[in-house]
Amino acid sequence: MKKRPLLAIAAVLLQAVMPAVSQTAGSDMADSSAYVRTALVRPRAKADHSAEIEKLLRQMTLEEKVGQMTQLTIDMVTKGKDQQVEIDPEKLEKAIVKYGVGSILNVTNQALTLDHWHRIIGPIQQAAKRSRLKIPVIYGVDSIHGANYVQGATLFPQQLGMAATWNPALMQRSAEIAAMETRAAGIPWSFSPVLDVGRHAMWPRLWETFGEDPYLATVMGTVFVRGLEGQDVSSGKHVASSLKHFVGYSFPLTGRDRTPSYIPEYALREFFLPPFAAAVKAGARTVMVNSAEINGVPGHINKHLLTDVLQNELGFDGFIVTDWEDIKKLVTQWHVATDEKEATRLAILAGNDMSMVPLSYSFSDLLIELVKENKVPMSRINDAVRRILRVKFELGLFTDAMPDHSLRANFGKSEYPAIALQSARESITLLQNKNNILPLAKDKKILVTGPTADSMISLNNGWTYVWQGSEPWLYPKDKPTVQAAIGEKLGGGKVTFVPGTRIVRKANSTSNNNPTNIDQEVDIPTAVAAAKAVDAVVLCLGEGSYTEHPGNIDDLTLPWIQLKLAEAIITTGKPVVIVLVEGRPRIINRVANKVDGIVMAYNPGNEGGHAIADVIFGDYNPDGKLPITYPRSPGYFPTYDVQRFERASGSDPAFLPQFEFGHGLSYTTFQYSDLKISPTSIRANDTVNVSFSIKNTGTRAGKETAILYVRDEIASMTPAQKRVRRFAKVYLEPGQSKTLTFSLGREDLSFIGSDNKPVIEPGEFTVMVGPLSGKFNLK
């Protein structure tokens, strides 16, 4: 059969990401994936600034060009720290006027107010106006789950939680709000979204991904980009995105951050590249590089991936930025270069356009030397600078780079918290509900206990006000923790809180002395005594905050002190509901079957306390579904799309996760019926339509995510048991039904062959949705 390049597949993904939906009753499809289809295919208008860019390039000296390729951290232009950080005029003059630095990033230690950000950004752009060619600076921060480095900004669930909503409309809206609140601070560039596909349960950045499925990550990642960049990225409502971390970063062999991955190219293209390909097609302006290595080649010198694939094959015309200090690490960590000068040469020739140096001028000095020594051609420098200038023009920075005080009107709007709350509610996933223990009655006496019960830190995780999200005093005082939200809801002295255990942060010599989380016992006997005096227990377990290497762990099992608390509470015989507030699926097999209810909350953000209480007490009917496979044991981390024999009856070992990908219960029931496949025999370029009905057969209104899987029965590369190809989230009143129709094309039936190119082969295919399945043939 004819093969098609990955870029063509990305284009079709953008056009066919969402289903066509017809319905037999009702009209509320606002929460369906169909919401986004028009937004995804709308053309992205990019003004042509070629003439202006080429004019500038002709005027620029080598030093000015290299300056544009240099990114420094805020510490290089400021003095003081925390809320006392201010511009240092002498440092600023050196960076912007003398060296012509093109980009600044980061915060010193913590989030700043809007006013404070304006006091930082304004002088930086004024300094740029004093430079010879007056080229504005592009400032970037990690707006990961909202404008998390701006005090008072709206914070949403982290990406793994947003994936659990299966609601692209909410993802796009949250990204739009993040963009507006970031731009209001005078910052036009966000280092997000994370498009790494999270297929290793131990990886400490799993919660920053959209989970283990490439299609779900593609859909959610693309609407994230659209929300950030909009149709006019120069407007005061949008910012440039940065797709990270290109590519394969999320599948380290050991599960530890920034450690080697071994991924055959066919698997890289099948599982890890599609979200990047689609986001590039959607117009993403920048890409950040994988800080680790693949197959023995560090990401920052992988010319095949950065130049051959990203730029040439996918057609990426924005600029590529390194991650933190990663050119230096080619010498100190990866040992692929004898010194920083050689590392700089390798990185620039591989395709990096901007170096996040970020604490010295070594990159600028060394790159200038390399060009003068003819070791890096001027053509490569011009290409990099051309890309950087293009993004600056598209952002409107040449028109006005100064902070716009009028954009305050877009910050902290009264409707934003409700959107964050709805996102948190839809993310929460009911994993277990024995004897319909949930929802709990509001007239019962409740004990709330556990280390995440009274923690805003756990609700948010890293990238929250500081890098590690670890400073409790920075969190808003008007947002309740889980125990506080339950207390508010029930009132009248019905709620008792005893922590039982706690999570503290201590320096760890194995993590460069960065503080890591340590679990400590506080008052387990007191918690047990309190449990005996109530009707039910809400036991909040999970993790503190972390990201990157401070989050490395040796064992995915929930810390033993939390399991000790859980087992002690269970012995009281009272009904127990576990609430998991965590960024990755910690192993709970010792206690999972001994409790009545299990709720997965992920990291739901500042509105998470309210959202969890709403679900537990029935004010919101849960509709989240797992975007990961929840493992049962610490030595076996399967993904849902394992090969067929791994799921076969009697297989050794058996495919037996704690909870499967796509699992999520509701307080109502849904019935799937009337599966129709038409036609049942197609050719390679034909379309097959799959329709089915969903009916709410329970007594409560609720939302159901219909996930359509396809299996290729026989293929030249061992086929997966099933792969997600479409999904839609529908709202149904009791007794209401809707008919959904999905259209599948050749890209939904193709796979990456042994020659690393997409191929489609004739044969039988099985379609699965809910409990239904049917077949069709490809001639």
Side-chain angles (χ1 to χ4, degrees):
M1 292 289 178
K2 183 180 179 182
K3 300 170 182 176
R4 299 178 70 177
L6 190 60
L7 186 59
I9 292 179
V12 175
L13 274 173
L14 290 179
Q15 295 172 23
V17 149
M18 303 304 135
V21 180
S22 61
Q23 50 200 58
T24 58
S27 59
D28 183 3
M29 295 300 295
D31 297 301
S32 168
S33 301
Y35 168 86
V36 210
R37 184 176 184 180
T38 302
L40 284 170
V41 299
R42 208 161 50 220
R44 301 291 304 278
K46 287 187 177 182
D48 185 2
H49 297 284
S50 299
E52 299 155 290
I53 291 169
E54 296 307 316
K55 180 180 178 181
L56 264 178
L57 278 173
R58 289 191 295 270
Q59 297 175 41
M60 295 174 74
T61 65
L62 170 61
E63 290 74 13
E64 288 169 328
K65 292 176 180 178
V66 170
Q68 287 300 302
M69 298 170 67
T70 302
Q71 184 181 62
L72 300 179
T73 186
I74 186 175
D75 306 81
M76 296 292 286
V77 297
T78 58
K79 56 187 175 183
K81 63 179 183 177
D82 299 335
Q83 297 306 311
Q84 285 71 51
V85 63
E86 297 294 347
I87 289 291
D88 183 315
E90 185 176 338
K91 287 183 176 180
L92 182 65
E93 197 75 7
K94 179 180 180 179
I96 307 302
V97 180
K98 179 181 177 182
Y99 275 89
V101 167
S103 180
I104 306 291
L105 83 152
N106 217 1
V107 296
T108 50
N109 290 293
Q110 60 187 243
L112 303 176
T113 65
L114 278 182
D115 286 338
H116 206 147
W117 271 118
H118 286 194
R119 296 200 304 271
I120 297 294
I121 303 295
I124 291 173
Q125 300 297 0
Q126 289 168 345
K129 292 178 180 179
R130 296 195 297 274
S131 65
R132 188 176 73 91
L133 295 175
K134 300 177 173 54
I135 299 175
V137 170
I138 181 171
Y139 203 107
V141 295
D142 294 273
S143 289
I144 301 298
H145 64 127
N148 40 259
Y149 280 150
V150 183
Q151 286 193 14
T154 309
L155 299 189
F156 298 88
Q158 298 282 4
Q159 277 189 205
L160 191 64
M162 291 304 298
T165 70
W166 295 75
N167 189 337
L170 273 178
M171 182 68 260
Q172 180 167 339
R173 184 56 181 150
S174 69
E176 290 169 349
I177 293 169
M180 287 189 285
E181 296 196 323
T182 300
R183 197 75 185 237
I187 300 169
W189 184 20
S190 173
F191 304 134
S192 59
V194 172
L195 295 187
D196 304 303
V197 180
R199 294 175 70 83
H200 198 306
M202 281 185 67
W203 191 50
R205 306 189 75 170
L206 179 71
W207 54 270
E208 296 182 54
T209 77
F210 288 119
E212 70 186 50
D213 180 66
Y215 182 78
L216 176 59
T218 295
V219 174
M220 300 299 274
T222 304
V223 298
F224 197 138
V225 170
R226 180 54 51 85
L228 290 180
E229 298 200 353
Q231 290 302 302
D232 179 8
V233 76
S234 69
S235 78
K237 293 184 176 182
H238 296 287
V239 297
S241 64
S242 188
L243 314 179
K244 61 187 195 183
H245 307 79
F246 192 83
V247 57
Y249 177 43
S250 58
F251 199 55
L253 185 66
T254 64
R256 289 174 174 254
D257 184 51
R258 286 175 166 82
T259 57
S261 298
Y262 299 93
I263 309 173
E265 184 156 343
Y266 88 89
L268 193 74
R269 290 174 173 272
E270 185 73 55
F271 297 105
F272 299 97
L273 204 54
F276 290 95
V280 167
K281 183 70 176 178
R285 261 65 182 194
T286 77
V287 167
M288 187 180 291
V289 183
N290 172 7
S291 290
E293 67 164 36
I294 300 178
N295 305 330
V297 181
H300 285 79
I301 60 170
N302 198 320
K303 186 175 182 180
H304 170 61
L305 291 176
L306 297 181
T307 297
D308 298 342
V309 176
L310 178 59
Q311 295 181 356
N312 297 339
E313 182 180 335
L314 301 185
F316 176 64
D317 63 359
F319 69 82
I320 299 171
V321 60
T322 76
D323 207 337
W324 185 273
E325 212 172 42
D326 274 332
I327 290 182
K328 294 177 184 288
K329 290 176 184 175
L330 294 171
V331 180
T332 61
Q333 179 171 323
W334 299 110
H335 303 284
V336 293
T338 56
D339 53 33
E340 189 181 346
K341 186 172 182 178
E342 175 64 8
T344 301
R345 184 185 74 84
L346 292 172
I348 296 304
L349 292 180
N352 292 280
D353 300 310
M354 180 181 286
S355 172
M356 191 184 292
V357 187
L359 293 165
S360 75
Y361 293 95
S362 59
F363 170 79
S364 298
D365 295 336
L366 293 172
L367 186 52
I368 289 168
E369 290 179 17
L370 287 164
V371 176
K372 289 181 176 179
E373 294 167 0
N374 295 319
K375 294 180 179 177
V376 172
M378 184 61 78
S379 60
R380 172 77 269 269
I381 301 299
N382 286 339
D383 177 62
V385 177
R386 185 177 289 113
R387 291 169 177 274
I388 293 166
L389 293 177
R390 183 184 299 121
V391 173
K392 290 185 176 185
F393 270 108
E394 290 174 350
L395 281 168
L397 299 182
F398 279 92
T399 301
D400 187 4
M402 293 294 289
D404 184 345
H405 294 277
S406 70
L407 298 182
R408 293 172 182 271
N410 296 327
F411 188 89
K413 286 187 174 181
S414 59
E415 63 265 30
Y416 293 172
I419 298 168
L421 175 61
Q422 185 62 18
S423 298
R425 285 169 167 169
E426 292 201 28
S427 73
I428 292 171
T429 306
L430 179 57
L431 299 178
Q432 183 167 293
N433 195 17
K434 292 181 181 178
N435 303 314
N436 293 321
I437 182 65
L438 292 173
L440 295 175
K442 295 178 184 176
D443 61 352
K444 303 296 184 182
K445 291 184 178 180
I446 305 296
L447 168 67
V448 183
T449 186
T452 62
D454 198 35
S455 174
M456 293 301 297
I457 288 174
S458 294
L459 290 176
N460 284 275
N461 214 329
W463 303 114
T464 307
Y465 308 122
V466 295
W467 172 44
Q468 292 293 310
S470 54
E471 302 303 321
W473 64 275
L474 288 171
Y475 286 82
K477 302 302 183 286
D478 61 337
K479 303 296 182 182
T481 62
V482 177
Q483 70 88 11
I486 291 175
E488 287 179 12
K489 185 173 291 289
L490 300 191
K494 296 175 184 175
V495 179
T496 301
F497 169 62
V498 180
T501 71
R502 65 183 176 186
I503 300 170
V504 298
R505 294 181 66 80
K506 290 188 176 181
N508 187 337
S509 60
T510 64
S511 184
N512 299 321
N513 286 318
N514 283 297
T516 54
N517 296 316
I518 305 294
D519 283 78
Q520 295 180 340
E521 182 173 346
V522 179
D523 48 9
I524 291 178
T526 305
V528 170
K532 294 176 181 178
V534 299
D535 298 306
V537 179
V538 176
L539 176 57
C540 300
L541 306 176
E543 300 182 308
S545 63
Y546 59 88
T547 187
E548 302 183 27
H549 48 83
N552 288 337
I553 55 176
D554 298 323
D555 187 346
L556 194 59
T557 304
L558 194 69
W560 70 271
I561 198 69
Q562 294 192 44
L563 293 172
K564 179 181 177 181
L565 171 64
E567 290 175 331
I569 294 294
I570 290 167
T571 61
T572 67
K574 295 301 175 77
V576 177
V577 175
I578 289 178
V579 177
L580 296 168
V581 186
E582 57 188 13
R584 58 195 154 190
R586 304 304 292 262
I587 305 300
I588 56 171
N589 60 35
R590 274 175 51 181
V591 298
N593 293 332
K594 300 175 184 177
V595 300
D596 301 282
I598 302 177
V599 173
M600 180 68 166
Y602 313 93
N603 302 117
N606 282 339
E607 301 296 336
H610 281 309
I612 292 167
D614 288 346
V615 167
I616 289 175
F617 291 95
D619 291 324
Y620 187 82
N621 188 357
D623 51 61
K625 290 189 182 292
L626 283 175
I628 54 172
T629 302
Y630 203 115
R632 183 179 297 271
S633 66
Y636 179 48
F637 306 143
T639 53
Y640 84 93
D641 48 5
V642 295
Q643 294 170 348
R644 291 184 67 182
F645 74 89
E646 296 182 76
R647 282 179 172 261
S649 176
S651 63
D652 185 18
F655 180 82
L656 193 64
Q658 193 74 56
F659 302 104
E660 290 215 28
F661 173 92
H663 174 68
L665 303 174
S666 171
Y667 295 152
T668 190
T669 54
F670 299 98
Q671 181 182 69
Y672 288 72
S673 64
D674 300 324
L675 176 66
K676 297 176 182 177
I677 301 173
S678 178
T680 56
S681 182
I682 62 170
R683 296 190 181 277
N685 292 318
D686 292 342
T687 296
V688 60
N689 295 313
V690 180
S691 68
F692 55 94
S693 296
I694 307 176
K695 183 177 182 179
N696 183 341
T697 54
T699 59
R700 291 191 53 157
K703 297 173 185 175
E704 169 70 351
T705 297
I707 306 172
L708 185 78
Y709 299 94
V710 174
R711 179 172 66 235
D712 190 345
E713 293 295 340
I714 303 292
S716 57
M717 300 288 283
T718 310
Q721 161 70 11
K722 58 182 179 180
R723 295 288 301 276
V724 176
R725 293 309 186 202
R726 294 289 184 274
F727 64 88
K729 193 169 191 175
V730 297
Y731 174 84
L732 295 168
E733 292 286 346
Q736 185 182 13
S737 65
K738 290 179 180 176
T739 297
L740 278 64
T741 301
F742 297 95
S743 296
L744 302 174
R746 61 175 293 141
E747 279 69 31
D748 303 302
L749 311 179
S750 70
F751 59 90
I752 301 299
S754 59
D755 60 355
N756 300 322
K757 296 178 180 179
V759 60
I760 182 171
E761 297 175 346
E764 189 175 59
F765 291 80
T766 299
V767 172
M768 295 157 277
V769 60
L772 309 178
S773 66
K775 297 181 183 295
F776 66 92
N777 281 283
L778 174 65
K779 296 179 180 179

